[in-house]
Amino acid sequence: MPISDSYLDYIMERLAVLGKVHCRKMFGGAGIMVPVRGELKPAMFAIIDDDTLYFKADDTNRADYTVRGLSQWVYDPSKPEKSRMPYFPVPADVLEDDDLLREWGQKAISVARNRRSARKPSPSLKPAPNRAKSPATKPKTKPRKP
């Protein structure tokens, strides 16, 4: 899953056509993310593995890849059925063309944002007790003498 710094720089330069995107290195590869309005965590719409860029896909854009004979990214080739992820390699002609890259990239961003909004909201955590009011943290006072 290694990536070279020069390839990462090249990809980030090319993806500038999509607006504000940022990268986070992980597991020897990298995740490419965009902010999501109203959420703290960004949505990951692309990954880089072995100096190859992959865009996220679902039923709305999967055919763009499959008609070109491209297959899903598999993180563990020894277990392809269990390690298949919803990312497809970006064809070289798309990567080289600003308009195509913008179109395909926007589709991948939509997939990432839609997958995020389709998830069930995480259960809210019970707030921590207010420790200032607990007996253990009250200031100790000496009893007054009569």
Side-chain angles (χ1 to χ4, degrees), residues 39-88:
E39 293 192 30
L40 294 176
K41 291 178 79 176
M44 187 160 41
F45 74 97
I47 58 172
I48 301 173
D49 181 36
D50 292 328
D51 284 353
T52 302
L53 175 66
Y54 298 84
F55 278 162
K56 189 169 251 186
D58 67 5
D59 291 341
T60 63
N61 65 338
R62 188 177 297 112
D64 294 343
Y65 302 93
T66 57
V67 298
R68 291 173 174 244
L70 301 169
S71 57
Q72 280 180 278
W73 177 65
V74 174
Y75 65 85
D76 184 355
S78 68
K79 301 175 186 173
E81 291 308 314
K82 293 184 178 186
S83 64
R84 194 173 311 281
M85 299 295 288
Y87 295 91
F88 286 81

Side-chain angles (χ1 to χ4, degrees), residues 3-18 21 23 25 32 48 51-53 55 90-98 101:
I3 58 172
S4 65
D5 289 337
S6 60
Y7 185 78
L8 180 59
D9 291 343
Y10 167 70
I11 292 300
M12 293 308 291
E13 181 181 301
R14 293 297 302 133
L15 293 179
V17 301
L18 297 172
V21 300
C23 165
K25 289 187 176 183
I32 312 296
I48 301 173
D51 284 353
T52 302
L53 175 66
F55 278 162
V90 178
D93 64 309
V94 172
L95 192 54
E96 302 287 326
D97 183 295
D98 285 352
L101 184 58

